[in-house]
Amino acid sequence: MTAFNPFPDRSGKDDPRWFAIPAHRPFLEDLAAGVLDWLGDQAPETLSDATILLPNRRAARAFTSALSTLSGDRPVLLPQVRPLGDLEEDESPFTPGELGLDLPPAIAPLTRRFEMARLIVERHDETLSPMRALELADSLGAFLDSCHIEEVEDRERIADLAEADFAEHWQKSADFLGLVVKAWPERLAELGLVDASWRRTQLLRLLANRWDSHPPQGPVIAAGSTGTVKAAADVLKAVAKAPQGCVVLPGLDLDLSADAWDAIEEQHPQSALKRLLERAGTDRAAVRPWFRRPAEPAVEARGLARQRLVNEALRPAEATADWRTEIARLRADAADAGQAADPIALGLQGLSVVATRTEEDAAATIALMMRETLETPHPDGKARTCALATPDLALGRRVAARLERWGVVADSSSGATLDQMPVGVLVDLAARFIADPLKPQTVLALIKHELTTLSEATPHAVAELEKIAFRGPRTRDWTRIEARLTKAAETRRDGQPPSEGTLARLAGATALGGRLQALAGTAALGRATPLDQAARNLTTLVEALAGIDVWAGPDGEAAASLLSQLIQGGASLGAVSPTDFAELVASLLHDTTVRTGGATHPSLRILGAIEARLVRADRMILAGLEEGVWPQGAPIDPFLSRPMRQTLGLPPPERRVGQTAQDFVQAACSPEAILIHSERRGGQPAVRSRWLWRLDMLTRGAGVEIDRPSETLAAARALDAPVARQGGLARRPAPKPPVDRRPRQLPVTGVERWVRDPYAVYARYVLNLRQLDRPGQSAEALARGQAVHKAVERLTLSWPDILPDDCEAQITQLLHEELTHHGFEDASMAREQPLARNAARWLAGFEMRRRARGIEIRVEEEVAMTFDAPAGPFTLTAKADRIELSSTGASILDFKTGAAPSAKQVKSGFAPQLTLTGAILAEAGLKTSGPVEPEELTYVRVVGRKVSGEAAVRASGAEASDLSMSALAGLKARVARFDDQTTPYLSWVAPQFMGNFGGNYDHLARVWEWSVAGADGDAE
């Protein structure tokens, strides 16, 4: 048997050296097998003289691995394998000294972005923010890269388009680009640098010219490239003409009809290969099949059927009218060949489609499929391989995170973004700390970060500082934090002096707060700080927080490189505000990818669409098959319209769709291919990829259904489903604690809660659970109410008898002071000040009317009474906002900024706060006087809006006294009932108050589960 020879003798005939490996075949394995078969009985060192050009470094590594595996025990010296898309002049095929290239170095990507952003601001729009300028810099860079790749020499003629018949904004854009194409090369010349895309294109162009005039004499194989770059296409053309050169194309469709081949447009998967062959002057019919390794006939037949099926599904749109004819022809050809199986059904064997609800659903399903691959042995005993191919990097990272739950780390080509890694998170937090050093969430995250030394030195101090200074509404300055810590050191909540341990923790918290304040002061930026100086401040802060060792490791090195580039090239972007700087750093961290390696299962790979082009696995999973993801939509160029691109000779935006379509075809022709799409993305409905639609339409027209398995999807959903409990959903809780554990003292507000939601009283006073304030929580309604209460209290204490002449102005001033003290920022005060003026005007009139009656005012007066109950004495307490004493009795007032209870709620006993306070006055009286009859129960609502205030009298005269005694009798009956061990603390016995009287313990009572998701049955 004659060995395969890709380099026949050309002395008699000029045979073309163009080959193709079908899409259903494993490209790199077949390429390696052909190279080894060509080697035949030649000396082992023969192969080392060959040069293999592959599209990228991943393909080069995979080919070397395949070559080593297939060679077995055979001794071979590996050839020189080089990535065509990333050539260097100091590596083969340029060495030793063939071209003597001495090109300037390429400009760093981040420095290029900054320089271009500066150019845009200076030449285009001085009002642009740094982030917007960088976005436009990316688009400008893409335009220049496209010009370099397409080798547009007369770029200056873009300025001529400013006079063409385009819309005014396109004319302005053309005028700007005309300036840039002159100014940017000048700036690069000043720096002694060049664009990386120009440099790569120049290397390829010089290599193509050299090999065209002086063909290489040794074996050269260019494989896997589609020649989308003109210079690369000319390199392939030169290789095919070399004495021992050949080109191996991936997935060329040799079966597509001539009419359909002629109708191929930019979005077709064969478009790049068609352009390459036309540029090389080679007819498709002259392309020969590459060496094929022996395979089982059934497997080969299934692969050919799959390839024909996918290629037919994606045939040019103008040729889809022939689908029925092609289906009939395929079946006729199969019958003529004696094939019993339907070629359409045969092509669908091993191909399945899975539709998931969301991206998270898809990630869980894919991860389970990949784990299943590891646990399913190959028939020959080898480990099975699985590869996920998707252009959706976020989906790939979700899958990787899901795999880590089982301790499986897949080989991922995308790596992780720096903002998701420890050092990146620290840098982001530090930048946000510089922008807003008192934001509680940022400060606490910074203190507790795993790399900082703050929490390690004083762990108890961190807890104290968090509890006292940063939980609840945020403070406006460091002095208020110091005041809070000082107050906590003076007295505890129960009024007793703090213990020595507490004082020690508070001292540590104070020291930690001082250190944070010092760090904030050192790293602070002005309103407009040069970007390089801002980056220096950020670097200093990070090192102060975590030490110099923070820059170790892959993420530390990436962060150090990023900050170094900010320092070196940031000055060109100009000055930034602290907020813009934090936003810029977050964006740059997100755009920086870190590849750490560390895969524990090399049998599993997560690849981008381009990386997966030449890779083959036992199971290929293609995910992200939604329009806008795979394929991506045509990019929008803010500088060039379609006619302008055509005038310049730049490719249309749709060309990228054709390139990604070929990636899809290559992966979908794998023996086992699973196509996954999500019905929703980002909470919005998603549209299936056009390729899935076409495949579905073709198979339906053929009367064959695609397999749509659901077992793995159901299993993935079951993994995250809540554990089912006996009895199904939770029922309304009804705890029955021992009587001696039940509260023997409650405030009137606690009784009001008890009437509506007994379970909340159980959680608060039996379990002693207190709500923990969220850091920086928005509590404006509560803070506004406290501010109004305090302002009215200060007014009464300052002028207990006679009001000042400027009463309205004094109340306004008090309200402003208290609103500021309770954490209202300047932005909020802009809204609160008009409301405060309206409220002060109403309060001044209210105070004058009330005091005209000759009353004595008591504010925040604490009163209490005790009565006997079956389980022992029970104490009721109250702290009235205001009690007005007159010769006929006492008026009880409660100030509110929200809705006040209705008269019906007061009379029915659901709002007993005022009535029970009246009962205490009637039974026990004030501390300095005896019992006094309640004569008025009033809610005073202060809002400051159109209706600035309202005094809502709920009862007066004898009715006030009767309601108070009735409420007391109801309380005694309730206490007696709950002094019985069998009485439960039910959750929400008055559910009508849930909406506006929500509880802090509803999540513990699982209110949603028993009141919404399930029917409310018997309590348990």
Side-chain angles (χ1 to χ4, degrees):
M1 181 176 179
T2 305
F4 173 72
N5 184 11
F7 313 120
D9 182 15
R10 278 186 163 167
S11 58
K13 186 178 180 181
D14 190 18
D15 291 330
R17 301 284 180 79
W18 293 85
F19 297 88
I21 297 177
H24 74 280
R25 297 289 303 178
F27 185 90
L28 295 176
E29 288 78 358
D30 276 8
L31 178 65
V35 170
L36 289 173
D37 194 76
W38 157 67
L39 182 61
D41 297 329
Q42 301 182 51
E45 64 271 11
T46 304
L47 185 57
S48 65
D49 296 332
T51 299
I52 313 292
L53 298 178
L54 291 167
N56 50 54
R57 294 187 180 276
R58 176 173 283 272
R61 291 193 299 268
F63 171 76
T64 302
S65 176
L67 198 64
S68 301
T69 301
L70 293 177
S71 64
D73 297 332
R74 183 179 183 180
V76 295
L77 296 178
L78 295 178
Q80 300 179 57
V81 184
R82 295 290 180 263
L84 187 60
D86 194 15
L87 293 175
E88 291 293 341
E89 69 269 27
D90 58 348
E91 296 179 355
S92 175
F94 293 105
T95 54
E98 289 190 32
L99 296 179
L101 295 179
D102 190 18
L103 297 177
I107 187 172
L110 195 57
T111 303
R112 185 189 193 221
R113 290 184 70 190
F114 293 153
E115 290 287 347
M116 284 189 173
R118 178 190 60 80
L119 200 63
I120 290 172
V121 172
E122 291 179 353
R123 304 290 182 95
H124 188 58
D125 188 350
E126 295 181 354
T127 64
L128 289 174
S129 67
M131 286 303 302
R132 180 58 181 157
L134 286 174
E135 291 173 3
L136 291 177
D138 293 337
S139 299
L140 177 59
F143 160 70
L144 292 175
D145 289 342
S146 184
C147 290
H148 295 324
I149 292 172
E150 297 299 323
E151 298 181 272
V152 178
E153 296 297 338
D154 52 344
R155 293 190 295 272
E156 290 78 7
R157 65 191 175 97
I158 183 66
D160 299 337
L161 298 179
E163 306 298 330
D165 187 18
F166 292 117
E168 182 178 355
H169 68 283
W170 290 125
Q171 292 178 350
K172 291 182 178 179
S173 176
D175 184 57
F176 166 69
L177 291 178
L179 296 174
V180 168
V181 295
K182 296 180 180 179
W184 179 243
E186 294 173 358
R187 178 56 180 161
L188 287 176
E190 293 175 7
L191 298 172
L193 302 171
V194 294
D195 282 326
S197 57
W198 180 87
R199 196 174 191 279
R200 284 193 299 267
T201 302
Q202 283 300 304
L203 285 172
L204 290 172
R205 174 56 56 199
L206 290 168
L207 181 62
N209 294 340
R210 174 68 176 180
W211 278 0
D212 186 58
S213 58
H214 300 83
Q217 300 304 305
V220 180
I221 301 176
S225 178
T226 57
T228 53
V229 177
K230 291 181 179 179
D234 289 343
V235 171
L236 299 182
K237 180 180 178 181
V239 169
K241 292 168 55 180
Q244 295 192 73
C246 70
V247 178
V248 186
L249 301 177
L252 178 65
D253 187 1
L254 298 174
D255 298 321
L256 190 64
S257 66
D259 292 340
W261 177 263
D262 293 338
I264 286 176
E265 79 288 338
E266 292 288 355
Q267 301 186 48
H268 193 272
Q270 297 288 309
S271 59
L273 294 173
K274 180 183 178 183
R275 284 195 307 273
L276 174 61
L277 292 176
E278 290 176 348
R279 187 175 182 86
T282 301
D283 190 78
R284 180 178 55 136
V287 180
R288 295 178 293 172
W290 181 259
F291 174 83
R292 295 190 182 184
R293 293 181 299 155
E296 296 181 11
V299 175
E300 185 66 18
R302 188 165 59 245
L304 285 172
R306 172 76 60 75
Q307 177 181 297
R308 291 298 305 275
L309 173 67
V310 176
N311 284 333
E312 285 298 330
L314 270 67
R315 67 166 34 218
E318 293 81 358
T320 53
D322 298 334
W323 264 352
R324 294 186 183 276
T325 303
E326 288 297 323
I327 291 171
R329 186 175 65 82
L330 287 174
R331 286 173 170 167
D333 292 345
D336 294 341
Q339 181 178 317
D342 179 7
I344 307 298
L346 183 63
L348 289 177
Q349 290 183 14
L351 180 69
S352 59
V353 176
V354 177
T356 63
R357 284 195 293 260
T358 63
E359 308 103 295
E360 194 61 32
D361 220 10
T365 304
I366 295 168
L368 197 58
M369 288 177 177
M370 298 182 79
R371 176 179 172 175
E372 180 187 23
T373 305
L374 292 178
E375 298 177 352
T376 306
H378 200 277
D380 59 6
K382 297 180 180 179
R384 295 185 74 218
T385 59
C386 179
L388 166 63
T390 177
D392 187 352
L393 299 182
L395 178 61
R397 289 169 186 140
R398 285 183 173 182
V399 173
R402 288 278 182 168
L403 286 171
E404 288 182 5
R405 69 158 56 171
W406 301 304
V408 176
V409 180
D411 179 12
S412 176
S413 66
S414 62
T417 55
L418 185 54
D419 62 345
Q420 295 179 334
M421 307 189 76
V423 178
V425 172
L426 177 61
V427 172
D428 183 33
L429 288 172
R432 285 196 244 164
F433 178 73
I434 291 175
D436 189 355
L438 283 172
K439 186 175 182 180
Q441 294 88 341
T442 302
V443 176
L444 293 177
L446 197 63
I447 294 174
K448 298 179 180 181
H449 192 278
E450 59 184 289
L451 296 178
T452 63
T453 58
L454 298 176
S455 59
E456 295 177 2
T458 52
H460 296 296
V462 172
E464 289 293 330
L465 186 65
E466 174 182 351
K467 180 176 66 176
I468 297 171
F470 293 111
R471 284 197 173 269
R474 61 174 294 174
T475 56
R476 301 185 61 179
D477 51 55
W478 292 101
T479 58
R480 300 198 176 184
I481 292 179
E482 296 174 1
R484 288 186 183 184
L485 292 169
T486 302
K487 183 178 179 181
E490 293 174 351
T491 180
R492 295 189 315 203
R493 181 176 296 179
D494 57 7
Q496 300 297 320
S499 64
E500 292 184 3
T502 301
L503 288 174
R505 291 194 297 271
L506 289 171
T510 304
L512 180 58
R515 184 177 177 188
L516 287 171
Q517 183 179 0
L519 289 173
T522 302
L525 303 178
R527 285 194 169 186
T529 304
L531 182 56
D532 56 336
Q533 183 58 50
R536 290 188 181 92
N537 286 18
L538 177 59
T539 304
T540 303
L541 176 61
V542 171
E543 292 180 352
L545 290 167
I548 195 68
D549 293 338
V550 71
W551 311 120
D555 54 340
E557 292 177 2
S561 175
L562 175 62
L563 291 176
S564 296
Q565 293 183 67
L566 275 174
I567 294 172
Q568 293 174 3
S572 60
L573 195 60
V576 293
S577 67
T579 302
D580 287 342
F581 178 63
E583 183 182 358
L584 173 63
V585 170
S587 175
L588 295 176
L589 291 171
H590 182 72
D591 293 340
T592 303
T593 301
V594 182
R595 293 176 174 84
T596 59
T600 59
H601 284 276
S603 298
L604 303 183
R605 285 174 287 184
I606 300 175
L607 306 172
I610 296 177
E611 290 83 0
R613 179 179 298 171
L614 304 181
V615 173
R616 188 56 54 89
D618 296 320
R619 169 180 279 183
M620 289 291 295
I621 302 174
L622 285 68
L625 289 169
E626 298 92 36
E627 285 296 310
V629 181
W630 200 4
Q632 293 182 349
I636 299 175
D637 192 333
F639 290 112
L640 294 175
S641 65
R642 290 176 182 270
M644 294 168 72
R645 294 182 65 89
Q646 186 176 5
T647 302
L648 288 173
L650 297 176
E654 290 80 10
R655 178 169 293 183
R656 183 180 300 176
V657 177
Q659 297 168 358
T660 59
Q662 187 190 25
D663 300 334
F664 169 78
V665 171
Q666 288 287 120
C669 288
S670 300
E672 182 182 4
I674 303 173
L675 314 181
I676 296 181
H677 73 92
S678 299
E679 297 171 353
R680 301 182 70 84
R681 291 189 65 86
Q684 301 297 323
V687 178
R688 281 192 303 169
S689 171
R690 66 192 70 178
W691 305 322
L692 285 181
W693 280 103
R694 282 171 161 261
L695 189 62
D696 195 35
M697 292 295 294
L698 176 64
T699 53
R700 286 187 180 185
V704 182
E705 289 292 329
I706 302 177
D707 185 25
R708 300 179 186 275
S710 59
E711 297 82 4
T712 306
L713 176 60
R717 289 173 177 170
L719 282 176
D720 295 324
V723 179
R725 301 182 309 276
Q726 284 188 334
L729 296 172
R731 298 183 179 182
R732 183 187 303 211
K736 301 174 183 177
V739 174
D740 60 352
R741 295 292 305 276
R742 302 189 180 198
R744 307 310 303 168
Q745 176 177 322
L746 283 177
V748 292
T749 52
V751 174
E752 187 166 314
R753 171 68 71 179
W754 195 9
V755 171
R756 304 182 187 199
D757 183 14
Y759 183 85
V761 173
Y762 163 77
R764 172 64 184 87
Y765 296 99
V766 177
L767 300 181
N768 198 28
L769 299 177
R770 295 177 180 270
Q771 182 189 20
L772 194 62
D773 293 333
R774 295 187 302 275
Q777 70 182 23
S778 177
E780 287 196 349
L782 176 61
R784 186 183 297 108
Q786 292 173 343
V788 170
H789 277 78
K790 192 64 178 178
V792 174
E793 178 185 351
R794 289 176 61 187
L795 174 70
T796 305
L797 295 177
S798 300
W799 294 279
D801 300 318
I802 301 176
L803 292 172
D805 295 336
D806 57 344
C807 182
E808 181 180 335
Q810 292 293 337
I811 297 177
T812 303
Q813 179 64 27
L814 291 173
L815 286 172
H816 286 178
E817 291 177 2
E818 290 302 324
L819 287 169
T820 303
H821 177 73
H822 282 80
F824 283 84
E825 302 289 344
D826 294 340
S828 299
M829 287 299 295
R831 179 191 67 240
E832 294 296 333
Q833 286 176 354
L835 298 178
R837 285 195 299 270
N838 295 340
R841 187 179 305 113
W842 184 86
L843 279 172
F846 172 79
E847 287 288 341
M848 292 177 183
R849 291 191 299 272
R850 300 296 296 189
R851 298 192 185 203
R853 301 163 52 198
I855 57 175
E856 177 187 353
I857 301 176
R858 305 284 184 90
V859 293
E860 300 295 329
E861 185 83 9
E862 294 184 4
V863 294
M865 67 171 291
T866 302
F867 56 84
D868 292 330
F874 187 92
T875 301
L876 177 67
T877 65
K879 188 175 183 180
D881 288 346
R882 183 163 174 170
I883 298 175
E884 297 178 353
L885 299 176
S886 66
S887 58
T888 57
S891 298
I892 304 169
L893 281 67
D894 185 65
F895 287 84
K896 289 187 175 297
T897 54
S902 65
K904 183 179 179 180
Q905 292 171 2
V906 173
K907 293 176 182 179
S908 63
F910 283 116
Q913 179 181 352
L914 295 183
T915 53
L916 287 178
T917 304
I920 296 175
L921 293 179
E923 292 291 316
L926 298 168
K927 293 181 181 179
T928 58
S929 63
V932 56
E933 287 296 321
E935 64 173 359
E936 182 185 336
L937 306 177
T938 300
Y939 288 104
V940 181
R941 187 165 180 257
V942 182
V943 289
R945 293 185 174 85
K946 186 175 181 180
V947 178
S948 299
E950 177 189 12
V953 180
R954 295 300 180 236
S956 60
E959 184 184 18
S961 180
D962 292 342
L963 287 177
S964 297
M965 292 302 102
S966 176
L968 180 59
L971 175 61
K972 291 181 178 180
R974 175 173 294 275
V975 172
R977 188 165 67 253
F978 276 84
D979 279 351
D980 183 352
Q981 174 68 42
T982 61
T983 303
Y985 285 85
L986 282 171
S987 176
W988 285 113
V989 295
Q992 65 268 30
F993 294 104
M994 281 187 187
N996 55 8
F997 202 71
N1000 298 326
Y1001 308 100
D1002 288 353
H1003 59 296
L1004 298 178
R1006 307 177 82 142
V1007 169
W1008 185 90
E1009 194 168 336
W1010 61 259
S1011 69
V1012 179
D1016 179 20
D1018 297 333
E1020 64 174 19

